[in-house]
Amino acid sequence: MKNSFKIIFMGTPDFAIPSLDSLYKSHHNLCCVVTSPDKKQGRGLKVVYSPVKNYCLKNNIKVVQPENFHSQEFLNEIIGYKPDIIVVVAFKILPKKLWEIPKLGTINIHASILPNLRGAAPINWAIINGLKKTGLTSFFINEGMDTGDIIKIKEIKINEDDNFGSLYEKLRSLSGNFILDTIDEIQKVNGKPQVNTKDLLTAPKLNKENTKINWLEDGKKIVKKIRGLSPIPGAWSIIKDSNKIIKIYDSLFHELNHDFEIGKMYIESSNKLMVAVNKGAIEILSLKIEGKKRISGLDYINGLKNKTIKLI
């Protein structure tokens, strides 16, 4: 018979739900769930719960929402549960005095094949970097960023038509069984140290700078960037004349000759919306102009009246 462990779960977004659901329905003892404090959003500053908190409320699971992870009151509460394991999925960086509490260790589920793509946005950067495969890695948390000893790895293929949204869903759907397999594995192995190499890719947090499109880049790289940031947060550029932001969600690269300035948007003879780049053009299949709804490239053409637009 498999051992039953006392487990504390820590997570906030939708990605963490399958892991939480599997633990809740398993033979393990889910002591409580730690998630981020509630947020106030919109003009009315309405209180919004995290996906993880909503799941816990529906299933009558104890929720803890600390403002400060260093608070002795919070640490004492966690110590009081006497957890065997803390499971972390898509959560904050924890202080050492917290992840040292459980007897068997604190484990994290990371959405890449470690040690590659350590950081906050591994799913996006896997596509942006043109990787052919990615996966889930479970590891013991230590003082580094995603550097702890590896427990288990599950690999999946990245298809040519995958974008961030589709790859996110694939990895999310695998995470439920993966966490249970990881806990079973803990009883057999101590974890395998990560091997660092010089050519490791990183997965830094997405920001305004690294999500902006550089039209001088290779066209194939631009398309990968668009896929890796679609549908959120969206690869973006600026329309020079209006200074409005344009987000691009779906695109194709065509090797062809043209006489346009790089970054010039134009309508191709077969009624395709194109942006001129080096050695070809990017066909824009769907986009969103600041303040408006997402539309297809063809719908945008219908309102263009054959004028050209410069993107910067």
Side-chain angles (χ1 to χ4, degrees):
M1 184 178 177
K2 293 180 179 179
N3 290 334
S4 178
F5 295 121
K6 289 196 289 183
I7 295 173
I8 291 175
F9 184 87
M10 298 187 177
T12 295
D14 175 70
F15 190 86
I17 297 296
S19 300
L20 173 57
D21 184 63
S22 290
L23 289 171
Y24 173 64
K25 293 175 179 176
S26 73
H27 63 284
H28 298 294
N29 177 12
L30 183 61
C31 303
C32 72
V33 171
V34 179
T35 192
S36 297
D38 302 332
K39 293 182 178 180
K40 292 183 179 180
Q41 294 182 355
R43 291 182 181 178
L45 294 178
K46 182 180 178 182
V47 175
V48 178
Y49 298 156
S50 72
V52 162
K53 182 173 180 178
N54 280 325
Y55 177 92
C56 291
L57 292 175
K58 288 177 185 177
N59 292 283
N60 200 29
I61 301 169
K62 166 73 175 175
V63 178
V64 181
Q65 295 177 277
E67 294 285 347
N68 182 2
F69 287 94
H70 297 271
S71 156
Q72 197 57 51
E73 181 183 355
F74 167 66
L75 293 171
N76 288 342
E77 182 173 3
I78 298 302
I79 291 168
Y81 285 111
K82 297 180 180 178
D84 297 305
I85 303 167
I86 291 178
V87 173
V88 181
V89 182
F91 202 51
K92 301 176 180 180
I93 296 174
L94 307 181
K96 185 177 181 180
K97 54 188 173 183
L98 177 55
W99 56 255
E100 278 188 332
I101 291 173
K103 141 176 108 170
L104 295 177
T106 296
I107 61 176
N108 190 9
I109 305 299
H110 187 72
S112 80
I113 302 171
L114 289 175
N116 228 10
L117 296 176
R118 292 171 178 154
I123 302 175
N124 306 93
W125 288 103
I127 296 176
I128 293 169
N129 283 296
L131 299 186
K132 301 298 182 185
K133 65 179 181 178
T134 189
L136 298 173
T137 301
S138 54
F139 65 95
F140 290 105
I141 287 179
N142 63 10
E143 291 172 297
M145 169 70 79
D146 304 324
T147 58
D149 290 354
I150 291 173
I151 304 164
K152 194 171 183 65
I153 292 175
K154 174 72 175 179
E155 295 184 359
I156 66 166
K157 180 183 177 183
I158 301 176
N159 297 324
E160 284 293 327
D161 59 347
D162 273 325
N163 62 11
F164 164 72
S166 64
L167 191 57
Y168 175 98
E169 286 302 325
K170 289 177 185 179
L171 291 169
R172 180 182 179 276
S173 67
L174 290 174
S175 61
N177 288 333
F178 185 72
I179 188 59
L180 295 181
D181 291 343
T182 291
I183 291 171
D184 289 343
E185 201 75 13
I186 286 175
Q187 302 171 58
K188 307 171 191 173
V189 300
N190 294 320
K192 183 180 178 182
Q194 295 187 34
V195 179
N196 293 322
T197 60
K198 292 180 181 179
D199 57 349
L200 284 181
L201 298 170
T202 59
K205 187 175 182 179
L206 299 175
N207 55 42
K208 195 171 183 180
E209 287 72 36
N210 60 25
T211 56
K212 189 176 188 294
I213 298 169
N214 176 4
W215 298 106
L216 293 173
E217 276 195 320
D218 176 81
K220 292 179 181 178
K221 284 187 176 181
I222 293 172
V223 168
K224 287 173 187 173
K225 185 167 196 169
I226 291 168
R227 284 172 50 218
L229 299 172
S230 179
I232 54 174
W236 65 282
S237 188
I238 293 174
I239 299 172
K240 187 176 181 180
D241 292 343
S242 65
N243 212 33
K244 286 191 174 183
I245 291 174
I246 176 173
K247 289 192 174 183
I248 299 170
Y249 300 101
D250 297 294
S251 63
L252 295 170
F253 173 65
H254 299 277
E255 289 187 17
L256 51 81
N257 296 318
H258 61 75
D259 297 321
F260 292 102
E261 181 186 359
I262 300 300
K264 201 78 170 180
M265 183 184 281
Y266 66 95
I267 302 170
E268 201 254 358
S269 58
S270 56
N271 219 28
K272 293 178 180 178
L273 183 64
M274 312 289 270
V275 179
V277 296
N278 287 310
K279 299 179 181 178
I282 304 290
E283 179 184 354
I284 308 301
L285 301 174
S286 66
L287 61 112
K288 180 181 181 299
I289 306 297
E290 183 180 346
K292 297 186 178 181
K293 293 181 179 180
R294 178 172 169 172
I295 58 173
S296 70
L298 187 58
D299 285 339
Y300 188 67
I301 286 174
N302 291 336
L304 261 187
K305 299 179 182 178
N306 289 323
K307 69 176 181 178
T308 57
I309 292 172
K310 179 70 190 300
L311 301 182
I312 57 174

